[in-house]
Structures are given as structure tokens and as C-alpha cells.
Amino acid sequence: NYEAKREEVVVLALKLKNGQKLRQSESSAFNAVRNALHRAKIAKAKVYDQGDTSLVVFSQSLSEKASALEAVKVAHEIDASLKEFNKKYAIKIEYGLGMHVGEMFFEILDGKAKFTSIGSITVTPKNLASKADCSLLLSHDLYRKVYTVVKAEQDESGAYNVLSFKDRTSQSQF
């Protein structure tokens, strides 16, 4: 029997602001969103679909490579792929991405990974995603963990808008 344990996780919220319009248009936008979120699944994150909002949980229990940095890197790729879609097609995906770091309970139930929120771990990224305008916003707590490799601008609410990403993993062996 597996005991639930507290664990630090990074949560990404992707909010589709024009989901209804996209559904009615029968455009390839939903495939673009699904393909973007597939990057999180490749990184062994757990993806929860909740209507027009998807929550992605990055956890070391699911992937030893999971870290705040890895999570932000995946989110940045998701952001870039949605921006790319918007450049190519007439119908635009209006979205927001928000990320936060905190704790969740993790357990295996019936062979499936299950997370239970603690505090504002899911509320904060959802709020950030609502505020983000086709961009990626990080909470202050998460930015403090990745500021050495993420270039970002702080907005008036204290969130950090990710501008660019310096990938230093190739130098980590030195």
C-alpha cells in the first residue's frame, strides 16, 4: 500500500480564452493545443483537462529529471508553439500560461498517479493564466528558482512575464 507523501511540484495552467469560438470554427487550433501539451507528457508531467483550462503537474515522483527549470523550459516550448500557430493561421488561439511552485500530496491509487492540492498550488497558476495575454507568467516563488536562466519582466501585480530562456544545460558538465 502506497502512502501519500508531500512533494514540491511545479504547476502550469494553460487557459484557452476563446475555446468556445475555436470549437465552433472547427479549425486545427485544438490539435495545435493538444500537440503543445504533448510536450509536457513527453517530459512525464501529469496533464489534467478541466474544460478550457489544462493543469500540468511536474513532479519528481513522475520523472527524476523534473525540476523547476525543466518545467519552465517545457512551458516556454508550449508558449512558442502556440505563438507559431498564431503566426500561421487566421484564427488565433487566445491563451494564457501561468506557473507556480508549491506542494501537493502524491500517491499511487489503482496504479495511477494522483495529486491532491495543498494551499494555492492550483489557484495561483490559474489566476496567472487568466491574466497572461498569449504569454507565460511565473509566480514570484517560481521565478526565484529559475532567475539565473530565465529573462523576465515583472508586471505591476508581481508576476514575471517570461521573455527568453538561456539554455545552459550543455555547459553543466564543466
Side-chain angles (χ1 to χ4, degrees):
N1 198 4
Y2 192 85
E3 193 74 20
K5 65 175 180 139
R6 266 179 113 110
E7 174 179 348
E8 185 178 273
V9 296
V10 176
V11 176
L12 165 68
L14 166 60
K15 180 170 178 60
L16 291 182
K17 300 179 180 191
N18 61 340
Q20 180 104 28
K21 183 178 156 191
L22 295 176
R23 271 189 289 282
Q24 291 167 347
S25 75
E26 296 180 18
S27 78
S28 56
F30 277 109
N31 276 343
V33 171
R34 210 178 354 264
N35 290 342
L37 285 173
H38 188 67
R39 295 162 196 265
K41 289 179 178 165
I42 291 169
K44 295 189 170 80
K46 182 95 170 135
V47 179
Y48 295 94
D49 285 315
Q50 302 175 332
D52 286 340
T53 302
S54 295
L55 283 181
V56 181
V57 180
F58 296 89
S59 148
Q60 291 213 305
S61 289
L62 299 177
S63 167
E64 288 164 20
K65 276 179 35 178
S67 66
L69 194 57
E70 198 58 39
V72 174
K73 196 188 301 184
V74 171
H76 188 63
E77 288 172 11
I78 290 170
D79 186 32
S81 97
L82 296 175
K83 281 184 168 85
E84 192 59 35
F85 176 90
N86 283 347
K87 276 185 209 161
K88 289 180 184 170
Y89 296 96
I91 187 149
K92 305 296 182 218
I93 300 170
E94 294 168 23
Y95 69 93
L97 291 162
M99 293 186 88
H100 183 51
V101 63
E103 287 190 324
M104 281 186 153
F105 283 109
F106 171 78
E107 60 187 328
I108 305 281
L109 281 178
D110 302 325
K112 290 191 168 124
K114 182 179 181 320
F115 289 94
T116 308
S117 329
I118 300 173
S120 62
I121 185 63
T122 58
V123 175
T124 300
K126 284 180 185 176
N127 290 343
L128 290 169
S130 292
K131 279 195 301 196
D133 182 18
C134 293
S135 62
L136 169 59
L137 291 179
L138 307 182
S139 68
H140 181 73
D141 292 346
L142 181 56
Y143 183 70
R144 283 200 347 240
K145 290 184 170 287
V146 298
Y147 73 92
T148 56
V149 290
V150 173
K151 187 175 178 204
E153 248 172 22
Q154 192 172 18
D155 69 15
E156 64 286 342
S157 72
Y160 289 85
N161 187 7
V162 175
L163 302 173
S164 61
F165 202 91
K166 302 174 197 105
D167 188 357
R168 294 197 172 132
T169 50
S170 59
Q171 299 158 358
S172 62
Q173 68 264 25
F174 297 116

